[in-house]
Amino acid sequence: MGESMFFRQIFDVRAAKPLDIFSSGSKKYKSVLKILSIIAMAAMLGIQVYVLLTHKVVLASDSQRYFELATLAVKNGVWYPSSLNVHDTYIFGNGLINLMILLIRLTGSIEAIKFVNIFCVYAILISCIYIIKRIFGDTEIQYWFTIIFCATGTFWGEVAQARTELIFMAFAFAATALLVTGKTYACLISGVLFALANWTRPLGIVFLIAGIWLLATQRAKLKQYLCLVLGAVMTVGVIGGAAYAKCGYFAYQATTGGYNLIMGASDGADGTSKFDVFGEGGAGYLSEKQKSEMTFKEKDAFYKSEAMKWIKENPGEYIKLMPKKMLVTLYSEGYSLGTFYNDATAGNGGTFYRGLIGRMTGQSDEKLSAADIIVIWTQGVYMVTLVLAFACVVFLIVKRRVAKLMPFIFTVAGAIGITMLLVGGPRYHFPILPYLIMAAAILIQAIATHKEHKNEA
């Protein structure tokens, strides 16, 4: 009976204990945190404006390819994807590439994406604060969240990057915030935003499932579920239909699943993005003739087939790679900080960190740069946040107050789980970073409240 009640209190909001242990009741404490959160926001905005004015958009790897595809589309007077892309390796970054096309047509470059990125950062911040207030009420958690969020250098450096994450997150977190309003029309808009998020980066389905769970925790009416699904389905239909008219395929979202899967499920795989598998002799090798004849759909099917064949033959090896994929995804927070080196590839990877440690310990002739200091600061903030976030989940489960937050925990677990199935990389945890920060803020406030009540006693 006790075990049954324990699990009910984890998954059933009605059985769980109330979230009433997070308000300190101290006006002075609250005022100080409010002031600190305003200072943190002002400092972040100042750094972002500095980046906006002094740094050009840095391109490498995926972002370089996004730019090339957008430029090609502009030259040919089309949107993405079109018939020009039928024989590409894959379709990806659909929403972002079309935004780039629009910016190039309007301004002649993609530099204006920095303004879009800044807007997205604050859309994410405001959405998360609203979610916190709806779930916890007017507690200090919102201020701790703001302080940690603004202190994380990722949200400074990503301003000058041209990647899918910020736009995806702005759509996904705004959609989630709309769901906690309890309004039926908001559910319809939320469905549209979830679909736009998935159009930009194919992780939106995880957020959408979490959104349905979130409605369940609020005991939503059937029409709210229907409006959420309707908004998503309509948007997918419109975008996919437009793509079908242009290229003959219902190319609503990225088709990188097979490409990423074979990198993480083939001979020589180590959990990271290694491209040897596509070289001659590798399981993912295609001749130039095959590449020119096969469509992106056929290539995706080929990669998936080869990867599944390897998994069936090497199930133990595949499972053994999963912890490393998770570690590779979670260990670093430098993926956005290449901005401060004017090099999108800097701020990440083993070679970079070995060089940084050499500069920190004096083993290198090079001195620490301002960019190095930002990396060290951001990595430190992130590691503390990560530890606090996982400790918070344990705390909430033990205290039997986790039920209302299970949709967010599911989102984090789902995003990490996908990387464990495919391939790992630090950038892949960026979409769930606000939830990690939220969890850290919850635990800090719980500790602060406990101390205050203890002092009063």
Side-chain angles (χ1 to χ4, degrees), residues 24-35:
S24 69
S26 169
K27 290 184 179 179
K28 183 179 178 182
Y29 169 66
K30 194 169 190 175
S31 297
V32 169
L33 280 183
K34 190 173 185 178
I35 291 167

Side-chain angles (χ1 to χ4, degrees), residues 220-247:
K221 296 175 182 176
L222 177 61
K223 63 181 179 180
Q224 291 175 300
Y225 292 99
L226 292 175
C227 282
L228 173 62
V229 174
L230 178 64
V233 170
M234 284 171 54
T235 307
V236 170
V238 169
I239 294 172
Y244 185 83
K246 290 180 290 181
C247 68

Side-chain angles (χ1 to χ4, degrees), residues 204-437:
I205 187 64
V206 174
F207 280 77
L208 176 60
I209 294 169
I212 293 170
W213 192 341
L214 185 60
L215 286 179
T217 67
Q218 299 170 171
R219 302 179 72 180
K221 296 175 182 176
L222 177 61
K223 63 181 179 180
Q224 291 175 300
Y225 292 99
L226 292 175
C227 282
L228 173 62
V229 174
L230 178 64
V233 170
M234 284 171 54
T235 307
V236 170
V238 169
I239 294 172
Y244 185 83
K246 290 180 290 181
C247 68
Y249 292 90
F250 194 85
Y252 152 70
Q253 65 177 45
T255 62
T256 51
Y259 190 85
N260 287 331
L261 179 62
I262 200 169
M263 282 196 286
S266 55
D267 290 336
D270 65 359
T272 64
S273 297
K274 286 184 71 174
F275 302 99
D276 298 353
V277 67
F278 303 109
E280 195 165 352
Y285 175 73
L286 291 171
S287 67
E288 291 304 315
K289 185 175 185 294
Q290 288 173 308
K291 287 179 183 178
S292 64
E293 292 176 350
M294 292 172 70
T295 67
F296 63 84
K297 286 271 191 184
E298 291 169 333
K299 289 170 186 172
D300 184 48
F302 168 73
Y303 294 139
K304 284 177 181 174
S305 173
E306 290 298 310
M308 292 306 297
K309 192 188 302 179
W310 187 88
I311 292 169
K312 287 175 183 175
E313 293 172 357
N314 305 276
E317 289 298 311
Y318 181 63
I319 292 169
K320 276 165 58 178
L321 281 171
M322 287 183 176
K324 183 172 182 181
K325 291 174 185 176
M326 183 172 77
L327 179 64
V328 167
T329 299
L330 293 175
Y331 86 99
S332 170
E333 192 58 25
Y335 49 86
S336 294
L337 304 180
T339 295
F340 300 102
Y341 296 93
N342 292 311
D343 178 1
T345 61
N348 232 344
T351 303
F352 169 80
Y353 279 109
R354 283 191 290 273
L356 180 61
I357 291 169
R359 294 192 290 278
M360 289 171 65
T361 57
Q363 295 175 353
S364 170
D365 294 334
E366 296 179 24
K367 293 185 178 180
L368 285 172
S369 65
D372 289 337
I373 300 298
I374 292 173
V375 171
I376 295 166
W377 166 264
T378 302
Q379 187 66 24
V381 171
Y382 169 69
M383 293 309 296
V384 172
T385 298
L386 190 62
V387 170
L388 290 175
F390 282 104
C392 176
V393 174
V394 175
F395 168 79
L396 290 170
I397 291 173
V398 170
K399 293 293 182 181
R400 305 189 181 193
R401 287 178 165 87
V402 75
K404 266 196 172 183
L405 301 170
M406 281 303 293
F408 310 124
I409 294 171
F410 166 80
T411 305
V412 172
I416 294 172
I418 287 172
T419 66
M420 291 171 71
L421 292 173
L422 300 176
V423 67
R427 256 181 70 199
Y428 299 149
H429 79 250
F430 189 17
I432 58 170
L433 181 59
Y435 282 147
L436 298 178
I437 295 172

